[in-house]
Amino acid sequence: MARSIYFFGAGQADGDAQQKDLLGGKGAGLAEMTRLGIPVPPGFTVTTEVCNAYYAAGKVLPAGVEDEIKAAIGRLESLLDARFGSPEAPLLVSVRSGARASMPGMMDTILNLGMNDEIAAGLARRTGSERFALDAYRRFILTYSDIVLGVARDRFEEALGRARRDAAARLGVDATRLNSAELERKVPDSLLDPASLAALIQRQKEIVVGATGSPFPDDPRAQLGGAIRAVFDSWNNHRAQVYRKMHDIPEAWGTACNIQAMVFGNLGDDSGTGVAFTRDPSTGERRFYGEWLPNAQGEDVVAGVRTPHPLSRSGSGGGATSGGGATSDGADDASSLEARMPEAYAQLVAVQARLEQHFRDMQDLEFTIQRGELFLLQCRTGKRTGRAAVRIAVEMAREGLISQREAILRVDPGAIDQLLHPSIDEGAPKRLLARGLPASPGAATGQVVFSADEAERRAGQGKAVILVRSETSPEDIHGMKAARGVLTARGGMTSHAAVVARGMGKSCVAGCSAISVSQGQMAVTIYDDHGHATGSITVKAGDLITLDGGTGRVYLGAVPTVPAALSGEFAELMGWADAVRRLRVRSNADTPHDARTARNFGAEGIGLCRTEHMFFDEERIQAVREMILADGEAGRRRALAKLLPFQRGDFLGVFREMAGLPVTIRLLDPPLHEFLPQDEAQLEQLSQAVEISAKELRRKSQELAEYNPMLGHRGCRLAITSPEIYEMQARAILEAACEVAAAGIEVEPEIMIPLSMTRRELAITRALVERVAEQVFAEKGRRVDVRFGTMIELPRAAIMAGELAEEAEFFSFGTNDLTQTTLGISRDDAGRFLGAYVEAGIFAKDPFQSLDVPGVGALVELARDRGRAARPGLKLGICGEHGGDPSSIAFFERAGLDYVSCSPFRVPVARLAAAQAALTAESARGPRATD
Ligand code: PEP
Ligand code: MG
C-alpha cells in the first residue's frame, strides 16, 4: 500500500480534488481548499485504502498506520503551536468519515476529541471560558460513548434532563411540568452553567462505567485510535448499507477518515457555525443560500433543536451574492450572518464564489466562525433536486462556466422524472405506511378501492382513487385508467401494473410485500429500519393513502404535492441533448391520447402500439369474447367484422397524432384466455349475452387455460391457428393509413409480428399482410408504404436473426420477453425473489429494469450482426421497458441500434440518456477532428 495519510495545512496539501477515490469527497475538498489558500483548519486524511485494508485484515489497522498518524499529529502540533494531550496548550481534533460519494448523515463524526479532566481545565484557562470547555467536554463524552463505546445516546438523556432542571432551578424557571423537548427549548445548552456541566460530566462517566465496566478512556491517543476505528466501522453500519444500496455505491469503495484541528463556533456571540450552498439546491436559483447559528457547534445546525437563521439579509440585491436561507422577515434580517458579522459574511461570500468558479459546480459548504475568524470545514459538490440540476446546468453553461456538453452530462436522467410528474412536498408532515418498488413515478393521493369497477364508479363520482390489488391483470385496465395511482402487493418492475401505469404516466408502487389484500381491506405490516415487523394497521376501502411512485413509498392520508413544471431551462437542455444524440427516441403508445403526450415530450415516432389494449374497452370486449368463443372460422370472422371499425378508428387517431412519423403497430400478442372473464358474476353476464350456457362457457374457458401462458398460445402463434385475427388487424391498419393519406397526412405504418422464432412464421404472416394490403389498396385506389418487421423476443429469434431478416425489414427487441425467455424467469413472478438476487449480488440490478448486458445484451448483438449481414441497413429498435432505462440506453448506443422506444413520460429521460450515451461513446473514441 502507498502512503496511508495525506496532510493538509498552511496552504499546502499532499492531496488534491482529483483524489476523491483515495481521500473521499471531504478529504479531497479539504486538500483542494487548502491549496487554494482558503482558511481551513489543518489536518490529515487516512485513505480509503486503509479502510479497505482494515476490513481485509479482520478489522485491524495495517502495520505502520499508527506511526504515520503519530507523525501527522506531530506536524499538526508544530503548525498550531499546541499539543495533543497537553493541558497547557491543548490540541483538540474532529474525526469524520468521508466516502467518495457523499452519504449525508450515514456515517459517524466525533468532535472535540483529545480531552480529559486536566485538558478540559486547560482549555478553560486558555479560552477564558469554563462553561465552553465543560460543554465541549460533555458533548465529546456523549458522542464518543455512543459511537465508539456503544453506550447509546438515550442512556444519557436522563442525566442531561437533570442538568437542565438544576439549571432551570438556578434560573428561576419552573420546569416541573415540561417534557424533555420543552425543557430543552427553555433551557438550551447555552444556559447550562459550569456547575451543572461539571455534575453532568461526572454522571456521564458513571453511566459509561456502569454500561461498559471500564472508565471512560482518558488518554487522547487511545481516544483517537478508537475514533478512527469507529469511523471505519460505520462504513458498514445498517444505515450506510441501505444508503449504498439505494444509490448504487459499491461496498468496495470504503470511507476515508479525516482528522482535523478543531475550531469552535461556540466560543461566544462572535462565533458561530453554518452550512451553505452556492446556489439554491431545491430550485437551482443562482443565489447564495444557507443557514447558521451563533454560538454553536456543527451538530446544532442539523439537529434541528434551535432554528437556524438565514445567512443573508432578505431582498439585498440579486445574483450569486445575495439571498438567504429560510424565509426571511424583519427578525431574520437582524439575525442573519450578514447583519451580525458583516466582515465574516463578506469573506464567506467571496470564498463561496471562488469555490464555485474553481470547481465549476454548485458547492455545499460547512463553515465555522471562531471569534470572528472564518474557517471552511467542508466543500463538496452539492446534492440537488432534479429541477435544480437542470436549472444549474443550463445557467452555468449560459454563464460560460461549463460547456453545453458538460451541462448535458451533469443532469442525471433519472432525476428529471421529478420534473414530469407532480411530486410529494418533501417538507410536509407525513406518516409512512410501507415501501414497495418505485414502479412509475409521481405522487398520487386518493381513496383506497379494491376493484377496477369500484375505481371506475367512484372516479365517475369525481373522487380521486388509488386502486389497490394483489396484482393487476389486463381486466383491470379501466380501473387503472380511472385511478390516480396503483398499488400492488405482488409483481416486479415489468409486472402488468408497472408497465401499464408507466404507459399511462400514472403513479404506481408495485410488489409492496408489506401489504396483503383480502376481503375488501388491506392489512399493512409496519417494519422498522432494521426490517423487523413492529405492528400492523388495517386500511379499508375509502381510507385515504398517498403513493410516491418515484421512491416506492406509501403514506397514510393525503400528503400535499407540488405540480410538474416544465421550465424554460428544461426545454433548452433537451434541445442541446437532441443536437448531440444519435439514437432516435420513440414511444410505446396505444391510444391517440398517449401518442399526443409522447409527441409533446418529443417522441420521434411510435415504437410499439400494443393493439390488445384496444380490445379491453367496454364496447369491444364483447366482440372479442364472441370471437374467442366462436366455434368455427365463420363465427370468428363475424365477430372480427364488428371489431374492425373500432380498430380502424383507433389507428386513424394514432396516425393523425403522429403525422409524418413512423408508427409501429404490433399485431395481437397475448393468449386469448386473458380476454375471458375471471369471476362468476361476469361469466353469468357473458353467458346471457352470447347465449351460451354458463357451464359451456366454463368448459371453454378451462379449455383455453394454460399452465404457462407466457410460453403458450400467444404472439404470432395465434395467427398460425387463426389467421383471420391478423387479417382483420392488417386491414384496419391499412384502411386507416389510406384514409389519412387521402386527407393529405403523411403516414408511415410499420406492421410488427410478436414472438416469432422461425423464418416460416414470418413468411406466412408476411404473405397474409401483403395479400390484405393489395386488397385494401385496390379497394381504396391508392397505395401507402408499409414496412413489415418482427419483434425479437426469443433466444431462437436472436440466433436465427439472419433468416428472420430475409423476411423482416426491421427488428424491434422486446427485451421484456427476451429477458424472461433468456433467463427463464417469469416476468410476472420475478418480483417475489429477484430482490433477494439483487441483495445477494447475483444481479447488480433487476434485469427486467436494467438490461442484463452480458447475457441478453449478447443476444441483441448477435441478432444485430446476423440480421444486418443478411439485410444491410436493417432497422433496429428496442421497445421493452429497458428503452427508458439510462444505463440500458448506454448499451443500446454502443450496440448501434437505431432507436429506443419507451413510455411517453420517459421520452425526455431517454432523450437525455441517449445524448449522454453519445457523448460518452464519443469521448471513448477520442476527440473529434473538429474539436
Ligand atoms: C417485450 O416483450 O419487451 C414487449 C415490448 O412486449 P410485451 O411487454 O407487450 O410483452
Ligand atoms: Mg413481449
Side-chain angles (χ1 to χ4, degrees):
M1 197 166 61
R3 64 197 303 171
S4 309
I5 278 176
Y6 284 66
F7 195 85
F8 53 87
Q12 288 180 347
D14 298 336
D16 62 35
Q18 308 310 318
Q19 289 171 299
K20 271 194 196 157
D21 297 1
L22 190 63
L23 306 180
K26 193 191 300 280
L30 289 168
E32 189 77 7
M33 285 197 291
T34 304
R35 283 169 175 264
L36 289 172
I38 285 167
V40 170
F44 56 92
T45 305
V46 186
T47 66
T48 54
E49 281 180 358
V50 175
C51 174
N52 289 335
Y54 170 79
Y55 277 108
K59 294 205 185 180
V60 176
L61 285 176
V65 170
E66 295 195 11
D67 289 342
E68 281 193 59
I69 292 174
K70 214 162 156 188
I73 289 280
R75 269 179 87 178
L76 267 186
E77 289 174 335
S78 49
L79 208 60
L80 294 167
D81 203 12
R83 288 195 70 75
F84 190 59
S86 146
E88 278 69 53
L91 165 67
L92 302 190
V93 295
S94 64
V95 181
R96 308 176 78 184
S97 56
R100 197 186 299 189
S102 131
M103 295 171 56
M106 297 300 127
M107 291 183 290
D108 292 329
T109 284
I110 296 170
L111 303 180
N112 309 334
L113 184 139
M115 281 228 201
N116 55 30
D117 293 352
E118 291 77 47
I119 295 171
L123 186 68
R125 280 193 301 278
R126 207 165 158 99
T127 57
S129 172
E130 188 184 7
R131 206 209 72 77
F132 155 76
L134 292 175
D135 189 47
Y137 189 24
R138 69 100 190 162
R139 284 172 188 251
F140 165 61
I141 295 174
L142 178 72
T143 323
Y144 193 91
S145 302
D146 179 24
I147 292 172
V148 184
L149 306 178
V151 187
R153 215 161 243 278
D154 49 18
R155 297 187 65 169
F156 297 92
E157 273 306 309
E158 195 265 336
L160 183 57
R162 198 188 302 167
R164 289 195 205 284
R165 281 178 208 281
D166 289 350
R170 268 192 285 274
L171 292 163
V173 175
D174 177 10
T176 43
R177 308 174 85 88
L178 301 180
N179 65 28
S180 67
E182 290 162 344
L183 187 64
E184 190 166 352
R185 266 195 298 277
K186 278 251 161 48
V187 188
D189 294 352
S190 55
L191 291 186
L192 293 176
D193 54 15
S196 318
L197 288 167
L200 174 58
I201 287 164
Q202 213 36 53
R203 180 73 197 116
Q204 284 180 325
K205 288 185 168 186
E206 286 162 18
I207 292 170
V208 170
V209 175
T212 65
S214 316
F216 186 83
D218 260 351
D219 172 10
R221 288 189 193 274
Q223 291 171 1
L224 183 58
I228 293 172
R229 275 188 288 272
V231 163
F232 286 156
D233 287 347
S234 72
W235 174 248
N236 261 337
N237 69 28
H238 183 257
R239 284 198 311 271
Q241 286 184 8
V242 172
Y243 189 89
R244 283 208 294 274
K245 206 164 286 165
M246 254 164 60
H247 295 271
D248 290 334
I249 298 174
E251 189 187 331
W253 282 3
T255 181
C257 180
N258 300 289
I259 291 97
Q260 195 176 15
M262 282 297 300
V263 284
F264 299 98
N266 51 344
L267 265 175
D269 285 341
D270 56 354
S271 302
T273 188
V275 292
F277 293 88
T278 58
R279 303 194 184 206
D280 186 326
S282 169
T283 65
E285 187 186 344
R286 190 183 183 197
R287 63 175 185 132
F288 182 43
Y289 174 95
E291 297 175 328
W292 81 295
L293 274 175
N295 198 11
Q297 274 203 317
E299 57 199 17
D300 300 332
V301 180
V302 276
V305 181
R306 289 164 66 188
T307 308
H309 309 302
L311 293 179
S312 313
R313 284 196 174 104
S314 57
S316 58
T321 55
S322 75
T327 50
S328 301
D329 53 23
D332 283 343
D333 263 12
S335 58
S336 67
L337 183 67
E338 188 177 8
R340 296 274 288 270
M341 297 187 206
E343 275 172 31
Y345 174 79
Q347 202 189 345
L348 180 62
V349 167
V351 165
Q352 65 90 24
R354 174 139 186 246
L355 285 172
E356 187 178 276
Q357 284 289 321
H358 181 75
F359 287 104
R360 301 164 65 247
D361 202 350
M362 188 263 270
Q363 298 296 301
D364 162 354
L365 312 174
E366 269 179 42
F367 65 90
T368 282
I369 298 163
Q370 176 176 286
R371 298 205 161 140
E373 195 181 343
L374 175 74
F375 294 93
L376 270 289
L377 302 183
Q378 178 169 290
C379 161
R380 62 182 177 194
T381 300
K383 289 205 174 297
R384 61 204 79 181
T385 63
R387 187 163 304 170
V390 169
R391 180 164 176 183
I392 291 171
V394 170
E395 290 189 347
M396 282 189 171
R398 282 194 204 136
E399 290 157 23
L401 194 57
I402 59 175
S403 68
Q404 285 185 3
R405 287 166 171 246
E406 282 175 299
I408 293 167
L409 290 167
R410 285 271 172 98
V411 179
D412 170 11
I416 63 171
D417 245 8
Q418 296 165 18
L419 274 77
L420 308 172
H421 300 270
S423 50
I424 294 279
D425 182 351
E426 288 303 336
K430 44 197 170 292
R431 170 152 180 220
L432 183 66
L433 267 185
R435 277 175 215 199
L437 296 171
S440 177
T445 297
Q447 292 181 346
V448 167
V449 291
F450 295 105
S451 78
D453 290 345
E454 184 64 356
E456 203 172 47
R457 196 180 64 74
R458 289 210 197 192
Q461 296 165 350
K463 304 236 166 62
V465 297
I466 303 288
L467 177 62
V468 181
R469 308 277 295 156
S470 287
E471 58 204 336
T472 63
S473 77
E475 279 215 17
D476 294 317
I477 205 106
H478 60 297
M480 296 179 72
K481 206 158 139 190
R484 293 281 170 91
V486 180
L487 169 63
T488 64
R490 289 207 287 268
M493 293 293 286
T494 58
S495 64
H496 177 266
V499 174
V500 174
R502 276 201 290 279
M504 291 176 170
K506 226 159 241 188
S507 171
C508 175
V509 174
C512 182
S513 53
I515 67 167
S516 69
V517 185
S518 73
Q519 293 164 356
Q521 57 184 34
M522 153 172 124
V524 187
T525 309
I526 310 283
Y527 293 93
D528 66 12
D529 280 347
H530 308 282
H532 303 306
T534 56
S536 70
I537 186 171
T538 302
V539 177
K540 295 187 292 308
D543 290 352
L544 276 181
I545 61 169
T546 299
L547 306 183
D548 184 349
T551 62
R553 290 195 172 90
V554 183
Y555 299 99
L556 191 63
V559 179
T561 58
V562 283
L566 299 189
S567 63
E569 286 87 19
F570 182 64
E572 190 159 356
L573 185 75
M574 281 295 139
W576 299 345
D578 289 346
V580 300
R581 78 184 147 88
R582 182 194 64 81
L583 269 173
R584 301 289 96 202
V585 177
R586 298 195 192 181
S587 182
N588 296 356
D590 308 336
T591 64
H593 175 265
D594 287 355
R596 183 176 317 156
T597 311
R599 199 166 188 166
N600 286 342
F601 281 136
E604 297 163 300
I606 289 183
L608 173 63
C609 175
R610 291 177 165 106
T611 48
E612 60 270 19
H613 290 169
M614 299 170 168
F615 282 19
F616 275 103
D617 234 70
E618 211 177 308
E619 299 166 296
R620 308 157 189 209
I621 187 77
Q622 184 71 7
V624 174
R625 288 171 175 168
E626 278 174 37
M627 183 264 293
I628 295 168
L629 296 167
D631 270 331
E633 189 188 324
R636 273 200 299 276
R637 284 197 183 275
R638 265 197 305 280
L640 285 165
K642 292 187 198 168
L643 282 174
L644 176 71
F646 289 120
Q647 286 254 281
R648 189 174 49 224
D650 293 327
F651 297 137
L652 270 175
V654 172
F655 286 146
R656 284 199 188 107
E657 292 294 345
M658 300 307 284
L661 296 175
V663 175
T664 308
I665 297 168
R666 178 180 76 186
L667 302 186
L668 195 67
D669 181 31
L672 297 179
H673 185 253
E674 277 196 10
F675 298 98
L676 291 182
Q678 310 295 331
D679 66 45
E680 272 301 311
Q682 284 183 338
L683 204 101
E684 288 293 338
Q685 245 177 11
L686 178 63
S687 150
Q688 280 159 24
V690 294
E691 294 176 2
I692 299 177
S693 74
K695 190 164 160 229
E696 177 62 7
L697 264 187
R698 242 173 261 126
R699 193 190 60 75
K700 288 219 173 206
S701 173
Q702 268 159 17
E703 210 173 85
L704 282 168
E706 292 175 309
Y707 284 109
N708 204 337
M710 278 289 183
L711 300 179
H713 192 186
R714 58 168 287 212
C716 62
R717 298 163 199 175
L718 294 169
I720 302 302
T721 55
S722 307
E724 54 283 351
I725 302 176
Y726 277 20
E727 273 174 36
M728 181 279 287
Q729 291 196 295
R731 175 167 278 277
I733 293 166
L734 293 159
E735 286 182 357
C738 287
E739 198 172 322
V740 288
I745 296 171
E746 236 184 283
V747 60
E748 271 189 60
E750 298 180 335
I751 294 181
M752 181 159 76
I753 304 299
L755 216 76
S756 60
M757 57 180 166
T758 66
R759 176 180 182 163
R760 188 86 189 114
E761 285 167 322
L762 289 184
I764 292 170
T765 44
R766 181 175 172 174
L768 176 155
V769 169
E770 282 173 353
R771 183 164 29 84
V772 173
E774 289 311 319
Q775 283 165 8
V776 173
F777 295 156
E779 286 159 22
K780 301 281 176 192
R782 67 167 58 241
R783 305 184 73 84
V784 290
D785 276 338
V786 53
R787 265 194 288 263
F788 178 87
T790 185
M791 298 187 74
I792 302 291
E793 298 180 282
L794 298 169
R796 190 180 200 279
I799 293 163
M800 304 305 289
E803 287 193 3
L804 266 49
E806 286 175 19
E807 300 292 341
E809 293 165 275
F810 65 89
F811 287 169
S812 179
F813 292 95
T815 47
N816 301 335
D817 272 315
L818 192 57
T819 298
Q820 163 167 268
T821 52
T822 302
L823 273 56
I825 294 178
S826 151
R827 54 200 264 199
D828 289 329
D829 297 319
R832 296 198 201 163
F833 59 90
L834 261 190
Y837 265 63
V838 175
E839 201 125 304
I842 299 170
F843 285 122
K845 285 187 186 162
D846 180 342
F848 287 99
Q849 238 175 305
S850 193
L851 195 80
D852 160 35
V853 170
V856 179
L859 284 175
V860 169
E861 288 173 322
L862 180 78
R864 171 202 62 196
D865 293 343
R866 294 190 175 175
R868 284 196 174 144
R871 184 188 287 268
L874 175 76
K875 202 195 299 182
L876 298 175
I878 131 90
C879 63
E881 286 303 298
H882 305 92
D885 170 62
S887 63
S888 309
I889 290 171
F891 166 74
F892 299 132
E893 166 66 32
R894 292 197 300 278
L897 300 198
D898 295 301
Y899 68 87
V900 296
S901 187
C902 55
S903 53
F905 282 84
R906 287 200 77 77
V907 167
V909 177
R911 286 162 66 196
L912 182 58
Q916 293 183 346
L919 290 176
T920 310
E922 189 183 294
S923 54
R925 283 194 300 271
R928 294 181 309 174
T930 52
D931 273 352

